[in-house]
Structure formats: structure tokens, C-alpha cells
Amino acid sequence: MVVLICRNALQSFTVRCAAAAARVEDPYIDTTMKACPPCSLEVCALRMQLFIGLRTLCVYGRHVVLLSTADTEAPEEAERHTQRRGLSRRWTISSPKETSPVGHGWNLYVVDTVPPITLYQEMVEYSQRYAETNPQGLSLRHLLSEAHLLLRSSLLESSEHRQASEGARKMAIQTQREELEEAFRQNCAQLGDSFSRGGQKDYHLALPYYRMSGLSVTEVMSRNRPLPGSPHSYGPGFLFYLKNYLLEETDQSLSQEDADEVTRIFSQSEPSMLVSVCASPCMMNVDPAATLQILQRLEETAGEAVPLTITMATMMLRLGNMAQYTELMERHSEMLLVYGFIEEPRLLLHAGGGKRPQVCPTALAGQLADSQPGLLVAAMVALHENNKVQLEPADHVFKELGCESSLQVDFWEAMLMASSQDAVIQELLFRLASVYIDRLTAGESPTQHKSLKSADDLISCCSHYGALYPWLTILNPAHASSYQHQEALHKLQSLLCGPSLSIGNVAPLLESLSEETLWGFSLHLLCATRRGQYGRSIERLLDRCPQAIIAYANHQLQDKHMALWWQKLLPELCSRTRAAADNGVLLGALKETLVVVAMETSPAEFLELLPDDGSASYFLPHLLTCAQRHLPA
């Protein structure tokens, strides 16, 4: 507070440096969370005490010591010498003056300055006169703003004193501070009332002041109800506060009475907000029947809209009217419903807030998981791609629905088709490979859920799933296991055949799979082939399934790997047929290999490949073919 000495009075003013100091100390000032009157607020005198003839002034704590004398100097000189400001605890001594011979003596005054709480209470009492005559006037708001600065400066001062005090004095300062904080909250509520009922200018300040007041939304609503027969409706500041409250993610629900009142308020003041209002998590207790009637009237006046239809379906679901629910959901195509969820995501899920930090599904999401799983998955993918939900919260939604082993995997597969973010793609590839391996090692699928997309669907519409290599069909015995097992195998093989899955990331997971089964062997062989281990793969395939070797070589040993036909495959086949001359599979593979070698080598190179064990006669027809191919025309 500034104590100002003028000719006839001691006046006190709130200091504007309190507004500046508050903004320096708290970065959240001037946001939707907190507010403070501006530093440019017009000056207004708060209290006046008369005196005459000031000579010396000292301000110490709550006391002002005045030394004055009554003299007969000219009014102009008195005006020039008596105005002083007490801004510190130091003595402020006026210039020495000669005592007038006609002076009337000296006077000493010790004036107690008014405590902030007392002054604040007087200001509140005085403000009530404004409130009775003009509750929306600027004079009332100005006076309340002055009171706010008074309390803010006192709170800043008490913080400094508390840090420098000990013992009983510290406890007294703490008690005084609690009294100041209570007055501060009361003042914030009064300022919130002022801005909530005011005009369009600065109406947004109702939100931070109500937040600082600590009032519940129910208390704020009760303070803003129009009086019966009053021409005034709800002010723009109150509606702004209420909209922001409803848009917040909180775990605190309004009572049915309050929720119904909120619905009525917006149906009268801003009907276009009704869908967002009904989707708010704090409106869980709203009467669905009454709300449905309001929404139906809105549809009659404003026309049909997808988010509005979904909201009406939600109310039907809460009423247990499944026939009407189904009829409403079937009004629009699945794609339009997805757009509706993008427009209002809270119809499907509620973000975490308060004691509930995780995103949670709504009752509608639970119903879709049972009746329209494809729509739920498509909507969640669309919300992710439109930055309405992140991957981890979306996973939590499916876990809350009990679909972590079914729809969650469908969601990942759909995300893989839609996402263009490399980090997300790699994370999804690893998760899906892990799931497919778990399903294979579990023997039977832990769930009877049928995937939304089959392996063939994914191969045809997702670039990350590659077409199965031809030689894999020989290693995949048809109908040797359940449908779920077969689908998991084909999807994993397709990922390994695709261009995106990093073999280095998935190889440790494949170590848990045994090579004893043919499908397990095929996965290990795929992994080795992707790593470029063709020589070792040829040996393993000849050991385990030689009937697949030609299909393998035709697909894998091409271009820069063509030389492996005669550098690796031909010697291996010669060696193995020599040991098992009656093995028709090996002999057939040897014959096919010689055909390819004769086509790809020169006669001289072919001669170098002939064995020296006396079986060269077997190779002569192929050598002749090779020579004829190289004869000049």
C-alpha cells in the first residue's frame, strides 16, 4: 500500500507494483488458470485521514508517525512543502524551515494504518452499494480489482515475513496469511461474478477468477442463476466458464440435478454445444430421457448431423432401448460414423484426469466392441491419425474393454495399414511379430475371436506384409493345424517376406520357436535367408526338406546370387546323390540344377564343374546343350 501525504489528508492507495510482482512470480498469471488486474488500472483512493501542517513523516510497519505544526505560511508554499509519500521504513525529513513567529506550536501524531483485512472488508461493504444500484457497472469491478491488488500485495509481503520469522511470530503470520487467503478466494469469486454477468468485453476473465476462488461448478451455477422474473439471462462469462469446465477431462461428475440444469442452459443459450456437453465425462449422471427429448428438438430445428445421431444413440443405449439404438446407428455408413467420432472423440473415449490418469472407453465403445468391432477399430485408427489419441492410450482402451488379445491386435494391423510414421510402424511391426509368435507357441489360440483381416487381406492391402515366397507353400502343410494357428503363421511369414520388418529386432523372439516342426523350421529359414545366409540355408533345406530346394533356388538365387547354383547347390547335390543314388528327390533336383547351370555358364565353365569320380557321362547331355547354345548362328 502507498501512503500519500497531500495538503489536507493522509491517503492510502493500492500499489501497482503488486500486479507487476505477481506476474514475475507466477508464470500462469494472465492465462485460463489465473488472472490479476492490470498494472494500468486507474488509481483510486481507498482511505483518508485529515491533518494539517506536516513537517516530518515516518512509516514503520502498520504505523505512520507525523510531526506537524500549524503556521500561517502562504497556501502556495504549503502546497509545495507538505506533500510527501511514505514509501519505506526510513525517516523522510522535510527541508529545514524557519519557524514562523506567529506559529501555533508543534503536534505529534501516531496514526495506525488500516490492516489489509479491515480495509478489504470496508471495500467489500462499500462495493455492496454499487452491487445494489448497478451490479454490472465498471465502478464495482474497479473497486473489486483494487481489493484484489491489496490482498495480493499483502500475501506477497506475508511470504517474505514468514521466511524471516521463527516461533510464535511465524505462527501468527501463518494465521494472518490463512485469513488473507480466505479473503483472496472470496474476492476472486466476486470478480468472477462481475465478469460472468458483464458484457462481451473481458468476459473470459470469469474463468480464471472462478478457478482461483476454489468454488465448485455447482456453487458457480447457483451464483449465476437469473432471478425469477428477471429480464437477464446467463451472461457470456458464465457460459464461457461452463464450456471450459465441460471440455476439461475430470473424474468429478455432476449430480443429475446439476447435469440436467447444464443441459437446459445450453439448450436455451447455445444449442450447437449440446453434443459436446453431453459427451463431457462430468455429465455421466444426466437424465437420458430428458436429454433425448432436447436432442430430438435440436434435430428438428437444426437438421440431422452424424455427431448428434451418435449422441442420441448413446442416450438410447443408456435407456436400454437397443432397437432404437440400432436404428440410429444404421442411419449412417461406417465411414460417416468414423467422421462423427473424429468430430467429437469423447463420444468414444474419455481422456484421463484427476484420480483417473488413463484414457477410458465410454459405454458406447463397449457396445461397439461387442456389436460393431470393425467400426470401433476404424474409429480408433482415425482418432490416432488425427492426433486425437496416442498409441499407448489407445492400447489402454482395448485393455479396459478386455480385448487386448483380439481387437487390440486388429487395431495394430489396421494402424499398420494407415500410419505413415516410421517410428510407429516399427513399433507396430515388433508388437505384431511378438503376438504372432505367442499365438504359435500357445498351440491353440487363446481366443476364439476371428481377426477382422485375414493374412490374404493384409497381403493384398498392406505394403508391410509381403507375398509369401513360393517355396513356403511346400513347407506349410495344409490343414495341419487350427485356422487361428495357420493365420498366425501366414501373417508372421508375410511380415518376414515384407520389406519393413527388421530381422535384427525379431530374431531374438524367433529363438523361442523350435525347428522340430516344419513351420518352425520355415521361420528360421526365412530369417537366415533375409540375413543373406544362402549357403547355410541351402544345406539346412537339403537336410530337412529337399523337395523345396528348387523352388527356393528359383526364387532366392537370382541376379547377384545366381552363381550359387553352381558354386554351392550343384556341389551339394552331387555329394548327396553320390551317397544316396536311389533318392529320386535329390536326382530330380540335380537334373533341374544342371538345366539352369547349362543355361547360365559357358562350355568352358561347365567343364570345370564336371566331377572327377567317373560319373561325367551323366553331365554330357547338359554339356552338349550348353555348347549348342554358344555356337555361332
Side-chain angles (χ1 to χ4, degrees):
M1 194 185 307
V2 172
V3 179
L4 179 65
I5 305 302
C6 63
R7 181 180 180 184
N8 297 317
L10 170 67
Q11 297 179 350
S12 55
F13 300 85
T14 52
V15 286
R16 297 301 176 260
C17 59
R23 287 172 168 83
V24 171
E25 183 179 279
D26 192 342
Y28 292 100
I29 292 289
D30 300 322
T31 65
T32 59
M33 301 301 297
K34 297 180 182 179
C36 180
C39 301
S40 58
L41 191 69
E42 293 182 6
V43 175
C44 132
L46 302 178
R47 198 172 232 272
M48 184 180 292
Q49 293 180 351
L50 298 177
F51 72 95
I52 57 175
L54 173 71
R55 295 298 181 182
T56 305
L57 164 71
C58 172
V59 178
Y60 184 81
R62 299 297 181 194
H63 306 287
V64 180
V65 181
L66 302 168
L67 184 62
S68 66
T69 180
D71 55 37
T72 57
E73 62 181 338
E76 295 79 17
E77 186 178 357
E79 178 73 24
R80 197 166 48 249
H81 289 292
T82 59
Q83 187 171 353
R84 295 291 184 271
R85 291 180 181 174
L87 299 177
S88 67
R89 295 180 181 179
R90 299 180 182 179
W91 284 95
T92 304
I93 304 176
S94 61
S95 302
K97 297 175 57 178
E98 295 183 5
T99 305
S100 171
V102 292
H104 297 283
W106 294 84
N107 296 291
L108 181 66
Y109 301 91
V110 179
V111 181
D112 292 336
T113 58
V114 183
I117 288 294
T118 303
L119 185 55
Y120 166 73
Q121 291 169 347
E122 291 181 6
M123 294 170 73
V124 170
E125 182 180 350
Y126 190 68
S127 70
Q128 291 174 355
R129 302 179 187 177
Y130 287 118
E132 292 172 358
T133 57
N134 187 8
Q136 298 179 9
L138 294 179
S139 298
L140 171 61
R141 188 178 300 173
H142 191 178
L143 186 58
L144 293 175
S145 298
E146 290 289 349
H148 189 90
L149 290 177
L150 172 69
L151 294 171
R152 267 198 184 276
S153 60
S154 301
L155 285 169
L156 289 171
E157 183 182 4
S158 70
S159 296
E160 296 176 359
H161 289 169
R162 184 173 56 177
Q163 293 175 0
S165 304
E166 296 180 356
R169 176 169 173 75
K170 188 172 185 177
M171 293 181 63
I173 292 175
Q174 177 62 28
T175 302
Q176 182 187 27
R177 181 176 178 82
E178 291 173 359
E179 190 177 1
L180 287 170
E181 288 174 346
E182 177 59 32
F184 183 79
R185 286 190 291 270
Q186 180 187 11
N187 173 260
C188 288
Q190 292 168 335
L191 278 169
D193 294 342
S194 175
F195 285 109
S196 71
R197 300 190 187 99
Q200 293 295 326
K201 185 179 179 181
D202 296 330
Y203 70 89
H204 63 280
L205 292 175
L207 175 61
Y209 280 117
Y210 274 142
R211 279 179 167 164
M212 291 190 297
S213 71
L215 295 175
S216 67
V217 66
T218 302
E219 292 170 322
V220 172
M221 288 168 59
S222 66
R223 297 169 75 101
N224 282 273
R225 288 192 184 102
L227 295 175
S230 171
H232 301 290
S233 60
Y234 294 99
F238 170 67
L239 293 176
F240 181 76
Y241 162 81
L242 201 54
K243 279 190 284 188
N244 277 269
Y245 175 81
L246 295 171
L247 289 173
E248 289 179 353
E249 299 298 343
T250 175
D251 56 354
Q252 297 179 353
S253 298
L254 295 175
S255 66
Q256 180 178 332
E257 181 181 357
D258 290 335
D260 290 344
E261 182 178 356
V262 168
T263 306
R264 288 193 296 271
I265 289 172
F266 281 97
S267 68
Q268 299 166 9
S269 305
E270 202 167 345
S272 61
M273 283 289 298
L274 277 173
V275 170
S276 294
V277 168
C278 293
S280 175
C282 63
M283 297 287 287
M284 296 296 294
N285 296 323
V286 71
D287 180 6
T291 304
L292 187 60
Q293 292 179 357
I294 294 174
L295 295 174
Q296 288 170 340
R297 287 197 296 269
L298 175 62
E299 186 180 48
E300 292 172 0
T301 56
E304 193 174 273
V306 177
L308 178 58
T309 301
I310 299 174
T311 307
M312 293 167 63
T314 302
M315 296 303 157
M316 285 295 185
L317 182 63
R318 291 182 57 183
L319 289 170
N321 191 336
M322 299 309 297
Q324 287 294 318
Y325 162 82
T326 304
E327 181 182 336
L328 287 167
M329 292 298 287
E330 289 178 351
R331 278 190 187 179
H332 306 286
S333 66
E334 182 175 295
M335 185 56 67
L336 288 178
L337 290 173
V338 169
Y339 287 142
F341 287 123
I342 293 174
E343 189 172 340
E344 185 46 78
R346 295 185 301 171
L347 291 169
L348 203 59
L349 50 89
H350 289 155
K355 298 178 181 179
R356 188 189 60 202
Q358 294 285 358
V359 173
C360 295
T362 63
L364 178 60
Q367 176 62 31
L368 292 179
D370 295 331
S371 60
Q372 294 176 278
L375 173 58
L376 176 62
V377 169
M380 292 299 294
V381 171
L383 292 180
H384 181 275
E385 291 305 292
N386 285 273
N387 299 318
K388 304 292 186 180
V389 67
Q390 299 302 313
L391 188 59
E392 293 300 333
D395 286 341
H396 182 75
V397 168
F398 287 105
K399 289 177 181 177
E400 286 285 308
L401 293 172
C403 306
E404 60 267 27
S405 61
S406 53
L407 282 185
Q408 185 179 19
V409 180
D410 292 326
F411 168 69
W412 292 344
E413 292 173 346
M415 277 291 302
L416 203 55
M417 289 186 280
S419 181
S420 58
Q421 304 174 39
D422 187 63
V424 173
I425 290 171
Q426 291 302 319
E427 173 67 19
L428 291 170
L429 287 169
F430 181 80
R431 291 185 182 188
L432 288 169
S434 302
V435 167
Y436 299 150
I437 290 173
D438 288 341
R439 289 180 177 180
L440 290 171
T441 54
E444 291 296 325
S445 175
T447 175
Q448 296 302 315
H449 167 80
K450 186 176 180 180
S451 299
L452 297 177
K453 296 288 185 182
S454 67
D456 292 337
D457 294 332
L458 293 172
I459 291 171
S460 63
C461 63
C462 182
S463 61
H464 304 292
Y465 287 86
L468 297 182
Y469 297 157
W471 53 270
L472 284 172
T473 58
I474 303 173
L475 298 178
N476 291 340
H479 311 297
S481 58
S482 66
Y483 172 81
Q484 289 84 358
H485 187 276
Q486 198 77 3
E487 279 292 294
L489 175 62
H490 288 171
K491 288 179 179 180
L492 181 55
Q493 288 175 336
S494 179
L495 282 182
L496 292 170
C497 294
S500 305
L501 181 63
S502 171
I503 297 300
N505 291 339
V506 78
L509 301 176
L510 290 172
E511 292 177 0
S512 62
L513 294 177
S514 171
E515 293 191 37
E516 293 181 1
T517 59
L518 206 55
W519 59 264
F521 169 72
S522 72
L523 294 171
H524 284 280
L525 191 65
L526 261 175
C527 191
T529 300
R530 284 283 307 275
R531 286 177 160 177
Q533 301 171 357
Y534 295 104
R536 175 61 180 152
S537 297
I538 289 171
E539 294 176 8
R540 295 170 67 187
L541 192 54
L542 286 171
D543 289 338
R544 188 66 180 273
C545 187
Q547 56 266 38
I549 191 61
I550 296 302
Y552 178 89
N554 281 330
H555 187 266
Q556 304 295 157
L557 306 185
Q558 300 295 325
D559 302 323
K560 63 180 181 179
H561 304 299
M562 180 63 75
L564 289 173
W565 279 90
W566 52 88
Q567 292 177 357
K568 181 63 179 179
L569 182 55
L570 182 59
E572 282 289 333
L573 287 171
C574 288
S575 173
R576 291 169 188 266
T577 52
R578 194 178 298 119
D582 58 344
N583 191 318
V585 175
L586 291 176
L587 287 173
L590 177 59
K591 183 177 180 180
E592 293 287 338
T593 302
L594 287 172
V595 170
V596 174
V597 173
M599 293 294 293
E600 298 295 333
T601 60
S602 66
E605 291 172 332
F606 196 96
L607 283 171
E608 290 292 329
L609 299 174
L610 295 180
D612 54 2
D613 59 352
S615 60
S617 58
Y618 184 82
F619 295 84
L620 289 180
H622 301 285
L623 176 60
L624 179 61
T625 301
C626 180
Q628 289 174 343
R629 193 172 59 84
H630 285 82
L631 285 176

